[in-house]
């Protein structure tokens, strides 16, 4: 068997950002202005603050403006909805990101769904999810889309392959299952309570770890030559898959860190650029059959 190939999310992420920077430099020179991503942070979660600061810096590096809206911990759902409506109605704003998680008193789903479709560059609204499921134009959840772009960058054709996605969150596991289906893979969507999970994973040509539990998917569940995509990031710098033990028998694998993680912010910037240009993300496979 040939040696396993590392899917270098850091390198591909940098390639995407360079392309964004080139496009925006040209747009600015043509007098088209500069896109702006608005990020809303509610409360005082230190991890969320770190993520938001990373996104603000990433915007600056590619020549994009950012607007950082900081709301107090006690903010109500209605107060948050009002802020989102202001951004929806502001023509200078191209993308809106509500940093997850929000404080417990806020109806997060209601807040997500207040974001206008054309500014939902994080792909979190019910409308965006529905359009994705119908293979219509939309912005996609950033982490799943990042994994798909990694597959495409390395020329990994998923047509007819059996993909097992472990994790059913509405912004990670479920949309990843839909994206792979749109790309003509045969998908089994599992979760932490799936019966006989090890045997299901052993059947997979492509395994997606998106369950949020450290090294939940064991190396001995994975068959020789499988593609490993680990979207998890847990304490101790480990993902949701036992990648350190499984990588040698895989055909391709994402490291943790440095695999899926860097792609997420780059996709957020990419989709903000698309919004600025007045277009949605390209459909995953316009030739996919519905049968």
């Amino acid at each position: 068997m040939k040696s396993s190939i590392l899917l270098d999310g850091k390198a591909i992420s940098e390639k995407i950002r360079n392309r964004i920077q080139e496009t925006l430099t040209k747009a600015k020179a043509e007098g088209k202005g500069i896109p702006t991503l608005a990020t809303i942070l509610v409360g005082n979660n230190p991890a969320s603050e770190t993520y938001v600061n990373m996104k603000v810096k990433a915007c600056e590096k590619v020549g994009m403006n950012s607007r950082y809206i900081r709301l107090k911990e006690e903010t109500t759902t209605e107060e948050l909805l009002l802020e989102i409506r202001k951004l929806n109605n502001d023509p200078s704003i191209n993308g809106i990101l509500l940093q997850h998680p929000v404080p417990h008193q806020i109806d997060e789903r209601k807040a997500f769904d207040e974001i206008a479709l054309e500014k939902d560059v994080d792909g979190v609204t019910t409308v965006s999810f529905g359009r994705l499921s119908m293979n219509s134009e939309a912005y996609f959840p950033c982490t799943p889309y990042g994994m798909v772009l990694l597959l495409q960058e390395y020329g990994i054709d998923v047509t007819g392959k059996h993909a097992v996605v472990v994790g059913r969150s509405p912004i990670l596991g479920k949309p990843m299952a839909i994206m792979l289906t749109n790309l003509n893979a045969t998908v089994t969507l599992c979760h932490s309570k799936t019966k006989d999970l090890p045997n299901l994973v052993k059947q997979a040509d492509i395994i997606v770890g998106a369950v949020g539990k450290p090294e939940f998917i064991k190396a001995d569940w994975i068959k020789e030559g499988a593609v490993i995509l680990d979207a998890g990031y847990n304490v101790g710098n480990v993902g949701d898959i036992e990648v350190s033990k499984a990588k040698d028998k895989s055909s391709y694998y994402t490291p943790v860190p440095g695999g899926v993680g860097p792609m997420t912010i780059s996709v957020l910037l990419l989709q903000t650029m698309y919004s600025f240009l007045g277009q949605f993300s390209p459909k995953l496979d316009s030739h996919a059959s519905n049968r």
Side-chain angles (χ1 to χ4, degrees), residues 1-6 225 247-253:
M1 180 185 159
K2 68 176 184 178
S3 59
S4 182
I5 296 172
L6 181 149
K247 64 182 182 181
D248 290 337
K249 64 178 181 178
S250 69
S251 55
Y252 298 85
Y253 72 96

Side-chain angles (χ1 to χ4, degrees), residues 224-241:
E224 293 281 341
V227 176
I228 298 173
L229 299 170
D230 195 338
Y233 186 71
N234 305 286
V235 175
N237 284 345
V238 296
D240 294 350
I241 303 173

Side-chain angles (χ1 to χ4, degrees), residues 162-166 186-188 190 197 200-201 203-204 206-209:
H162 182 198
V164 171
V165 179
V166 185
T186 300
V187 182
T188 302
C190 303
L197 183 59
L200 284 171
V201 173
Q203 299 171 33
I206 300 162
I207 301 151
V208 180

Side-chain angles (χ1 to χ4, degrees), residues 72-146:
K72 61 184 186 297
E73 185 78 28
E74 302 76 24
T75 298
T76 65
T77 299
E78 279 306 316
E79 287 170 335
L80 177 55
L81 294 179
L82 183 61
E83 289 294 331
I84 294 171
R85 287 181 199 127
K86 287 178 186 175
L87 296 171
N88 283 341
N89 294 325
D90 185 341
S92 72
I93 300 296
N94 303 102
I96 300 170
L97 169 76
L98 172 60
Q99 182 64 44
H100 168 87
V102 294
H104 66 90
Q105 76 276 7
I106 290 175
D107 184 336
E108 186 175 74
R109 174 44 51 198
K110 192 171 184 180
F112 278 150
D113 283 343
E114 193 67 28
I115 298 170
L117 173 67
E118 66 275 10
K119 298 188 180 187
D120 180 26
V121 293
D122 203 24
V124 294
T125 67
T126 304
V127 174
S128 292
F129 183 88
R131 289 173 72 106
L132 168 63
S133 70
M134 295 296 173
N135 203 17
S136 299
E137 289 185 319
Y139 299 119
F140 308 132
C142 293
T143 300
Y145 191 25

Side-chain angles (χ1 to χ4, degrees), residues 255-274:
V256 178
V260 174
M263 296 294 292
T264 301
I265 294 178
S266 292
V267 168
L268 176 69
L269 300 176
L270 181 65
Q271 296 194 133
T272 303
M273 182 188 78
Y274 286 148

